[in-house]
Amino acid sequence: MKQILAIYGSPRRKGNTTLLLDQAVQGALDTGAQVEKIVLRDLKMSPCLEIYGCKEKGRCVIQDDFQKVYDQLLSCHGLMLASPIFFYTVSAHTKILMDRCQSLWAKKYWIDKIPYGQSKPKRKGLFISVGATRGNRLFEGTLLTLEYFFDVLDAELWKALLYRELDFEGDVLKHPEYLQEAYETGKEFAIAVNA
Ligand SMILES: Cc1cc2nc3c(=O)[nH]c(=O)nc-3n(C[C@H](O)[C@H](O)[C@H](O)COP(=O)(O)O)c2cc1C
């Protein structure tokens, strides 16, 4: 059974993306998948300090909770990531994680010298996001950020579940169809990861 990592990027414990990711995780578990959860708000993780201590070995030299996350990211076959939209991008918790993965960027492009666009995806990604407003461009910035983050992880974006007009904690509970979709998607994702 291949490992799935579920990363919770909301500062809220019972936020909308949290509830949706819980459903996706449950769907995956119901197929018999193994899922490890990471709640970013519970970790002590410095932002990237741009000192490039990673340039020799491709491993970040800041000794904090990212060290364990780094190993989990590299050993998973499926990554579920959930973040709310904050100022048209991901939450600060999520962005700190992404920036710390600059160590993987250094490994891939400086140390291993992989030509851009030539690595084969090793893992699948499911992205879940929610915003309060309903503009057409609500998720544009985030999806661009995600594309480059996933590239560094050698992950392909298997599916994105994006929901508009959800603002207050628990608003998503008024939309059982969104929760159902997240559950079913979690199931399908686990099956795809294990195929
Ligand atoms: C700091 C901050 C910035 C936000 N920026 C946006 C935004 O740019 N566009 C938007 O539609 N909603 C924005 N929101 C609303 C959140 O996306 C919304 O409340 C969402 O449901 C939060 O998801 P969560 O409960 O999973 O944390 C913002 C909220 C906060 C606290």
Side-chain angles (χ1 to χ4, degrees):
M1 200 41 86
K2 293 181 180 165
Q3 190 68 39
I4 293 175
L5 192 60
I7 300 184
Y8 291 75
S10 172
R12 286 174 171 160
R13 289 213 176 277
K14 293 187 178 161
N16 296 308
T17 51
T18 303
L19 296 171
L20 287 160
L21 182 54
D22 277 345
Q23 288 296 314
V25 166
Q26 193 55 54
L29 290 172
D30 287 351
T31 69
Q34 285 174 2
V35 184
E36 258 186 303
K37 292 185 185 183
I38 295 177
V39 180
L40 293 177
R41 65 158 282 161
D42 291 341
L43 303 186
K44 293 264 179 293
M45 213 189 280
S46 160
C48 172
L49 299 178
E50 224 184 342
I51 50 178
Y52 281 108
C54 56
K55 76 177 188 302
E56 309 297 336
K57 296 190 174 151
R59 180 147 199 145
C60 184
V61 295
I62 305 169
Q63 295 303 317
D64 62 11
D65 288 342
F66 176 71
Q67 294 297 332
K68 184 172 176 210
V69 177
Y70 179 96
D71 292 333
Q72 289 171 300
L73 282 168
L74 290 185
S75 60
C76 78
H77 297 92
L79 173 65
M80 296 177 173
L81 175 64
S83 170
I85 297 294
F86 282 2
F87 287 97
Y88 289 84
T89 187
V90 291
S91 68
H93 292 78
T94 310
K95 188 60 166 53
I96 285 175
L97 171 73
M98 290 176 164
D99 289 355
R100 292 292 293 279
C101 289
Q102 181 71 353
S103 45
L104 285 168
W105 185 95
K107 178 166 177 9
K108 183 168 179 177
Y109 292 113
W110 282 352
I111 300 171
D112 297 343
K113 297 189 177 9
I114 309 284
Y116 182 77
Q118 293 199 12
S119 54
K120 284 217 180 98
K122 291 184 188 144
R123 41 189 72 87
K124 291 185 168 41
L126 168 63
F127 181 60
I128 297 177
S129 192
V130 155
T133 56
R134 56 180 183 174
N136 283 340
R137 304 184 65 190
L138 180 55
F139 298 103
E140 264 184 25
T142 302
L143 290 174
L144 189 60
T145 300
L146 190 77
E147 180 182 332
Y148 286 93
F149 176 57
F150 272 13
D151 172 72
V152 152
L153 296 176
D154 291 327
E156 59 176 339
L157 179 59
W158 176 82
K159 193 168 190 175
L161 294 177
L162 309 171
Y163 300 103
R164 293 173 166 80
E165 296 187 89
L166 300 176
D167 199 1
F168 298 107
E169 194 170 67
D171 268 359
V172 72
L173 297 171
K174 295 177 207 152
H175 295 272
E177 71 280 14
Y178 295 172
L179 297 167
Q180 185 64 25
E181 183 178 32
Y183 175 80
E184 297 298 340
T185 302
K187 264 188 166 173
E188 288 163 22
F189 182 69
I191 291 165
V193 168
N194 279 291

